[in-house]
Amino acid sequence: MGAAQLVAWFLALAAAAGAVSAAGARPSEVAVGALFTYDSTIGRAARLAIELAVDDVNADGTVLAGTKLSLKSHDTNCSAFLGTVEALQLMKENVVAVIGPQSSGIGHVISHVANELHVPLLSFAATDPTLSALEYPYFLRTTISDYFQMNAVASIVDYYQWKRVTAIYVDDDYGRGGVSALGDALATKRAMISYKAAIPPNSNSDVISDVLFRANMMESRVMVVHVNPDTGMRIFSAANKLQMVASGYVWIVTDWLAADLDSSASRDLKDMSHIQGLIVLRQHTPESDAKNKFISKWNTMARNRSVTSGLNSYGFYAYDCVWTVARAIDQFLNSGQQINFSTDPRLHNDSNGSTLRLSTLKIFDGGELMLQQLLLTNFTGVTGPVQFGSDRNLVWPAYDILNVGGSGFRLIGYWSNHSGLSVAAPEILYHKPPNTSAQQLYNVLWPGDSTTTPRGWVFRKNGQALRVGVPNKASFKDLVSSRGPDNVTGYCIDVFNAAIKLLPYPVPVQFVTIGDGTKNPSYIDIVRMVAANTLDAAVGDFAIVRNGTAISEYTQPYVEAGLVIVAPVKQITSSAWAFLKPFTLEMWCVTGALFILVGIVVWLLEHRINEDFRGSPRRQVITIFWFSFSTMFYSHRENITSALGRFVLIIWLFVVLIITSSYTASLTSILTVQQLDTGITGLDSLISSSLPIGYQNGKFTKKYLIQELNIPKSRLVALNTIQEYADALNRGPKYGGVAAIVDEKPYIDIFLSYYCNFRIVGQQFTREGWGFAFQRDSPLAADMSTAILQLSESGQLQRIHDEWFTRPGCASDDESQVGATRLGVGSFSGLFLMCALICIFALVVFFTRICWQYNRYSSSEAAGEPSAADADAIQRRPSGSGLGSFRELLQFVDKKEEEIRRTMKRRSSDKDNQAAGSSSSDALPVTSAY
């Protein structure tokens, strides 16, 4: 190898070594971009904060050691077009990340560019929830999304139990995205946006006044304002001229107003007078030494630069945003990655004569890895913990809730996604289990210096009357009757009109009749018209039922109702044998047998000790029958002396008392009541039968009978008028009619006031009421309920009822007089069983005692010398005969107990005498020996 070749080889080796060294070295400078509007409420605070953060990063030796963070800042000039152009210019400067944009609108456009160039966007102010990671993977929000802010607003609305709000918003991506999130959040609280008042961007005061005027014509008095801070104050100036910031109104303002107030070094007292009583949200940043140090440095820089505006919460997020980028770059470089950019061949169009120079836009090769480092961020900044969740939103979002009053505002509580509304700081509650049920806020001073929570709703002022649907029925005209929209009468209408007059605000009403008057309309279809906003309310005899409450809001019931059964009855005539009808044949037989049984039992118990139960066989049989049946009238003359006999007699007299009382009541009922023609006595017999059933057409009864009681549809007959009711019942099942009609009790009461040959049978088997139907969550429903309660408490509701239903009813409406039935053994089976068991128990005790006495008697007879009578009995006894022993036992039972005792006593005495005589005989020979 020659010298020249050797030199060349060494030079190549040195160059290669230099290249390797350069590849592993950290760059001396890394460029990041910033994109925001310099001259804006948010921009003025953010500009100083970003510059301070860059200085602090470069002064900190622990982050980006040896590498300087260079800031490339561009002004978007509050213009979506200019902001887009500036963003493209910024991308040409080979930045590894962009802090911004400030505007959500620019964010939507530039995010597409960032996706292609792989440059992460970290926005500290674009809060539009539709800027999602799914569509824009390189967009990362370092402030709190409006998704959480609107959930905070919904929690406030729900806390004060308001149901409808008016959304006033700027008609751009930021405003529309926020209002969409508000609607979703309110829906989870069963509330809604009743009116959307969109203000075009850059509108003048006349346009704003026109939008607010239309909003003021609506029902809701809860105004949620979501606009930009630079133009938002003009809304309240216009609202003040329209007297909308007064008592009865509620204004909930998103964080833009807090940013504007915090940025105002000297607040204009005139502007403050326009916003008294407002509720304002502001991003919550916990107190810390780092935060206080940053505020001090920011204020010093502002004074040095003669900046008149103040620091707001977006300045805190801008400061932390720079630190987030710096830490991510540091981790990116520490992992051995290099910052390289490459061209996109699709953008090489300069040869076609284009002057856009798109080829200068280069792809950041490490963009994907940089994005992953950003998502792994976890440190504590001036805003608190800076960490991203799985949805790429900051963890622990929280808001301060402020109430404007005087020349400033006061804190009335907090909201966090951890515990909802509270008066304790969120950082304290993070260490406790979530508890969203215990919501709490301090008292609020509302517009008009009122301390009373506003109703949040009034009847609309746009001149449109309340559209009230009324069923045009074919029957029961006393309830609802219509001869046209201007001539609607009836009990239900009078109750509704009386309640309307009690409302604290005027409500013009326009009745809309539903139906042709020849056939009852479907009531659930009318309620569906209310739910579909074809009607505002439905008034009439509307039952509060499950399928109706699912789609509408009902008032307090003004009539108690429930399903009952009405059936035809007939008056029966008395006969000569009517006295036998209270009991069935089986009952008569069992009762008679029990009388005889008790007579026999008492005779057995008293026969041996009571002279009243002794005598000739004929006399004793007569005594048994006489005694047993005389107890029916408590006229028995025989005295009971044994304890067992008295016990049995007491139980038997109780049974007799029950039987005679039941007989008397049943006989009275049979002689006076009416009997059912069809045999239907209640719900059970109605279901078990196969007879046709009538129901009122259009009401919920048909669906209830089919779905709840499983009655076949073929058994149901639709009826419309009172005359059809009577005709169907009179004809009966045999002649094309019905066996019974199931309907609500108020209808049946009216029907029975005209026809007295029908009666309600069984008990009312459902419990519901009649109310007026309104749209879901309508505040008017709650106010009408209160008015109905006032009518009830004052007695006016009853007076309206009496004015309409004064027709005298039938002479007797007591359902206990319908369908009297004969009493059977089943009604007294328990009583009869108890009596039989007592008798058996007494007999067992009696015969046990007899057997014991007979055993003693027989023993004494065998041991003693028989008397003449006993000897004669012994001679007559058949030897070796079991029949003789049984006969002896019967003779023993027939003997008086007193005689048995004397015989046993005499035998015992004779035995003692015999023993004494034998002892004397044995002793005499011994004496004679002496």
Side-chain angles (χ1 to χ4, degrees):
M1 180 180 294
Q5 291 177 330
L6 184 63
V7 171
W9 183 81
F10 274 109
L11 289 175
L13 182 64
V20 171
S21 176
R26 294 170 66 98
S28 60
E29 184 175 289
V30 178
V32 296
L35 198 63
F36 56 93
T37 300
Y38 293 171
D39 190 19
S40 65
T41 301
I42 295 176
R44 285 187 289 269
R47 186 175 187 179
L48 297 184
I50 292 173
E51 293 177 3
L52 270 175
V54 171
D55 293 342
D56 290 345
V57 167
N58 290 329
D60 192 330
T62 61
V63 179
L64 291 177
T67 300
K68 179 182 178 182
L69 189 66
S70 176
L71 181 66
K72 307 292 184 181
S73 183
H74 285 247
D75 186 3
T76 59
N77 293 297
C78 281
S79 169
F81 173 73
L82 293 178
T84 303
V85 173
E86 291 296 329
L88 293 174
Q89 293 291 337
L90 180 62
M91 292 296 184
K92 295 179 182 180
E93 301 185 32
N94 292 342
V95 293
V96 298
V98 175
I99 300 171
Q102 172 184 329
S103 166
S104 296
I106 298 176
H108 279 280
V109 176
I110 298 305
S111 291
H112 292 289
V113 179
N115 290 346
E116 296 296 329
L117 301 182
H118 297 178
V119 178
L121 301 178
L122 289 85
S123 178
F124 58 88
T127 57
D128 179 11
T130 61
L131 284 167
S132 64
L134 294 176
E135 185 178 3
Y136 309 113
Y138 280 86
F139 177 84
L140 195 60
R141 184 183 289 107
T142 59
T143 186
I144 303 176
S145 169
D146 279 341
Y147 167 82
F148 299 105
Q149 180 166 215
M150 295 310 168
N151 275 272
V153 173
S155 296
I156 296 173
V157 171
D158 182 63
Y159 178 78
Y160 291 106
Q161 298 182 0
W162 298 314
K163 293 300 180 182
R164 299 191 179 192
V165 305
T166 294
I168 302 173
Y169 62 100
V170 60
D171 195 9
D172 59 8
D173 291 327
Y174 160 75
R176 289 189 296 269
V179 169
S180 176
L182 175 62
D184 295 339
L186 289 173
T188 63
K189 307 292 185 180
R190 288 198 62 181
M192 62 179 293
I193 300 175
S194 60
Y195 182 73
K196 295 181 180 180
I199 300 176
N202 304 318
S203 297
N204 57 34
S205 299
D206 292 336
V207 174
I208 294 175
S209 296
D210 183 60
V211 171
L212 292 180
F213 178 80
R214 290 196 300 270
N216 198 34
M217 293 295 102
M218 299 298 108
E219 302 165 340
S220 175
R221 286 294 177 264
V222 180
M223 310 293 178
V224 178
V225 184
H226 186 58
V227 296
N228 295 313
D230 297 286
T231 58
M233 290 301 294
R234 287 186 294 165
I235 292 177
F236 297 108
S237 176
N240 188 68
K241 294 178 181 178
L242 295 173
Q243 298 182 352
M244 295 176 64
V245 191
S247 180
Y249 286 84
V250 176
W251 291 84
I252 303 175
V253 188
T254 54
D255 55 21
W256 66 265
L257 181 57
D260 186 74
L261 295 177
D262 288 337
S263 299
S264 301
S266 57
R267 299 183 179 116
D268 190 343
L269 294 180
K270 182 178 180 180
D271 290 340
M272 291 301 298
S273 66
H274 296 164
I275 60 174
Q276 295 296 302
L278 273 61
I279 294 178
V280 183
L281 276 71
R282 178 178 62 188
Q283 296 98 327
H284 174 72
T285 54
E287 296 298 324
S288 65
D289 293 338
K291 177 182 176 181
N292 294 331
K293 183 179 179 180
F294 166 70
I295 294 173
S296 177
K297 292 170 64 176
W298 191 97
N299 289 332
T300 300
M301 179 178 285
R303 285 194 300 269
N304 293 338
R305 296 190 180 185
S306 301
V307 176
T308 57
S309 63
L311 176 63
N312 56 55
S313 59
Y314 286 102
F316 297 124
Y317 286 101
Y319 181 84
D320 279 349
C321 186
V322 175
W323 276 97
T324 300
V325 172
R327 291 175 182 273
I329 295 173
D330 187 48
Q331 293 297 322
F332 178 84
L333 296 177
N334 289 340
S335 64
Q337 301 297 324
Q338 294 297 308
I339 297 176
N340 295 316
F341 293 86
S342 60
T343 59
D344 188 344
R346 295 173 298 175
L347 299 179
H348 286 177
N349 59 352
D350 295 345
S351 59
N352 296 330
S354 173
T355 58
L356 294 178
R357 298 178 60 88
L358 295 179
S359 59
T360 58
L361 298 176
K362 297 182 179 181
I363 298 174
F364 177 30
D365 296 336
E368 179 66 26
L369 294 176
M370 180 67 74
L371 178 63
Q372 296 304 318
Q373 292 296 336
L374 289 168
L375 293 175
L376 294 175
T377 299
N378 188 0
F379 71 97
T380 300
V382 296
T383 60
V386 180
Q387 182 182 356
F388 298 100
S390 59
D391 57 353
R392 297 193 179 186
N393 284 311
L394 289 176
V395 298
W396 311 125
Y399 285 89
D400 299 333
I401 302 176
L402 311 173
N403 182 210
V404 180
S407 59
F409 43 74
R410 63 186 182 92
L411 185 69
I412 61 171
Y414 305 90
W415 179 90
S416 70
N417 68 331
H418 178 74
S419 298
L421 299 175
S422 68
V423 294
E427 54 269 21
I428 297 175
L429 299 178
Y430 290 150
H431 303 289
K432 300 179 181 179
N435 183 16
T436 56
S437 59
Q439 305 294 281
Q440 185 180 2
L441 290 176
Y442 290 120
N443 293 332
V444 176
L445 182 65
W446 303 100
D449 295 331
S450 173
T451 56
T452 303
T453 302
R455 294 163 46 85
W457 183 89
V458 296
F459 190 75
R460 52 179 174 256
K461 299 180 179 179
N462 57 5
Q464 182 179 352
L466 189 74
R467 299 164 300 173
V468 178
V470 177
N472 190 8
K473 298 166 60 70
S475 61
F476 301 103
K477 299 291 187 178
D478 292 342
L479 297 172
V480 178
S481 177
S482 174
R483 295 182 180 87
D486 298 328
N487 190 8
V488 180
T489 60
Y491 166 69
C492 301
I493 304 301
D494 282 1
V495 173
F496 175 77
N497 289 333
I500 283 288
K501 293 178 181 178
L502 293 179
L503 296 180
Y505 44 84
V507 178
V509 174
Q510 177 187 358
F511 290 110
V512 180
T513 57
I514 311 296
D516 56 8
T518 60
K519 182 181 178 181
N520 293 344
S522 172
Y523 277 60
I524 190 61
D525 287 346
I526 299 177
V527 176
R528 290 193 182 102
M529 293 173 67
V530 175
N533 199 29
T534 305
L535 298 171
D536 296 317
V539 172
D541 44 342
F542 286 87
I544 304 175
V545 292
R546 182 177 55 194
N547 56 348
T549 56
I551 59 176
S552 64
E553 191 88 11
Y554 283 87
T555 63
Q556 171 81 14
Y558 62 91
V559 170
E560 292 184 2
L563 292 178
V564 294
I565 303 170
V566 63
V569 293
K570 63 180 180 180
Q571 188 76 35
I572 63 171
T573 57
S574 300
S575 66
W577 301 100
F579 68 93
L580 295 177
K581 290 184 178 181
F583 292 162
T584 61
L585 178 61
E586 182 185 16
M587 179 65 181
W588 279 117
C589 294
V590 172
T591 303
L594 199 59
F595 269 96
I596 296 174
L597 173 64
V598 171
I600 294 174
V601 170
V602 174
W603 175 80
L604 285 173
L605 298 176
E606 295 292 321
H607 173 66
R608 302 179 69 237
I609 60 176
N610 194 337
E611 287 293 341
D612 291 339
F613 291 87
R614 298 186 65 83
S616 63
R618 178 174 177 273
R619 182 189 174 199
Q620 292 185 51
V621 171
I622 293 174
T623 300
I624 289 173
F625 281 92
W626 163 258
F627 174 80
S628 60
F629 286 100
S630 63
T631 56
M632 185 186 304
F633 310 103
Y634 309 102
S635 61
H636 53 281
R637 60 191 179 188
E638 293 80 7
N639 293 322
I640 306 302
T641 59
S642 67
L644 286 175
R646 291 175 178 176
F647 180 56
V648 171
L649 183 61
I650 290 174
I651 300 301
W652 174 242
L653 290 178
F654 173 72
V655 174
V656 169
L657 174 64
I658 300 300
I659 292 176
T660 54
S661 300
S662 301
Y663 175 85
T664 303
S666 182
L667 180 61
T668 302
S669 177
I670 288 175
L671 294 177
T672 58
V673 305
Q674 298 167 323
Q675 294 295 307
L676 297 170
D677 275 347
T678 59
I680 293 179
T681 58
L683 183 61
D684 293 337
S685 59
L686 179 75
I687 296 174
S688 60
S689 71
S690 59
L691 300 175
I693 304 169
Y695 68 93
Q696 184 179 170
N697 191 24
K699 297 289 287 185
F700 75 98
T701 312
K702 177 182 178 180
K703 185 176 181 180
Y704 181 86
L705 293 175
I706 296 175
Q707 295 184 356
E708 302 297 332
L709 302 183
N710 297 319
I711 294 177
K713 185 178 180 181
S714 58
R715 292 180 56 192
L716 303 181
V717 179
L719 304 172
N720 285 289
T721 65
I722 294 178
Q723 291 73 21
E724 290 183 10
Y725 276 35
D727 180 64
L729 288 172
N730 284 326
R731 284 188 285 119
K734 294 181 180 180
Y735 301 99
V738 297
I741 292 176
V742 177
D743 207 346
E744 294 172 90
K745 194 172 186 303
Y747 299 121
I748 300 303
D749 290 339
I750 297 174
F751 171 68
L752 294 180
S753 68
Y754 290 91
Y755 298 95
C756 293
N757 54 331
F758 309 107
R759 283 292 180 271
I760 295 175
V761 296
Q763 301 293 324
Q764 180 176 312
F765 55 91
T766 64
R767 290 288 185 272
E768 67 266 349
W770 289 352
F772 306 132
F774 291 86
Q775 295 178 7
R776 286 294 299 270
D777 300 319
S778 170
L780 191 58
D783 293 343
M784 286 292 288
S785 294
T786 302
I788 290 172
L789 289 175
Q790 291 177 344
L791 291 175
S792 178
E793 293 171 357
S794 65
Q796 187 176 354
L797 192 62
Q798 184 61 42
R799 288 192 293 271
I800 296 175
H801 179 276
D802 295 340
E803 289 175 2
W804 280 97
F805 305 110
T806 56
R807 180 183 176 87
C810 299
S812 177
D813 197 29
D814 185 4
E815 65 180 46
S816 65
Q817 295 186 1
V818 178
T821 57
R822 304 176 71 184
L823 300 175
V825 176
S827 302
F828 303 94
S829 57
L831 197 63
F832 288 166
L833 179 62
M834 179 186 68
C835 182
L837 291 176
I838 294 299
C839 291
I840 293 173
F841 171 75
L843 290 177
V844 169
V845 173
F846 172 75
F847 281 111
T848 301
R849 186 167 176 269
I850 287 294
C851 291
W852 176 75
Q853 285 183 347
Y854 179 71
N855 185 48
R856 288 188 59 195
Y857 181 80
S858 298
S859 299
S860 65
E861 181 181 6
E865 187 70 24
S867 64
D870 293 338
D872 181 63
I874 292 173
Q875 291 177 358
R876 293 195 304 266
R877 179 189 306 168
S879 61
S881 174
L883 180 61
S885 299
F886 180 70
R887 186 177 297 168
E888 280 186 13
L889 178 60
L890 292 180
Q891 291 174 354
F892 178 80
V893 172
D894 188 55
K895 288 182 180 181
K896 294 185 63 175
E897 188 168 344
E898 184 179 355
E899 181 182 345
I900 297 297
R901 290 176 179 173
R902 286 200 305 267
T903 301
M904 293 178 63
K905 186 176 182 182
R906 177 174 49 78
R907 289 176 179 176
S908 178
S909 178
D910 292 345
K911 182 180 178 181
D912 292 342
N913 292 337
Q914 288 178 5
S918 176
S919 299
S920 300
S921 300
D922 293 339
L924 287 176
V926 176
T927 304
S928 61
Y930 280 98

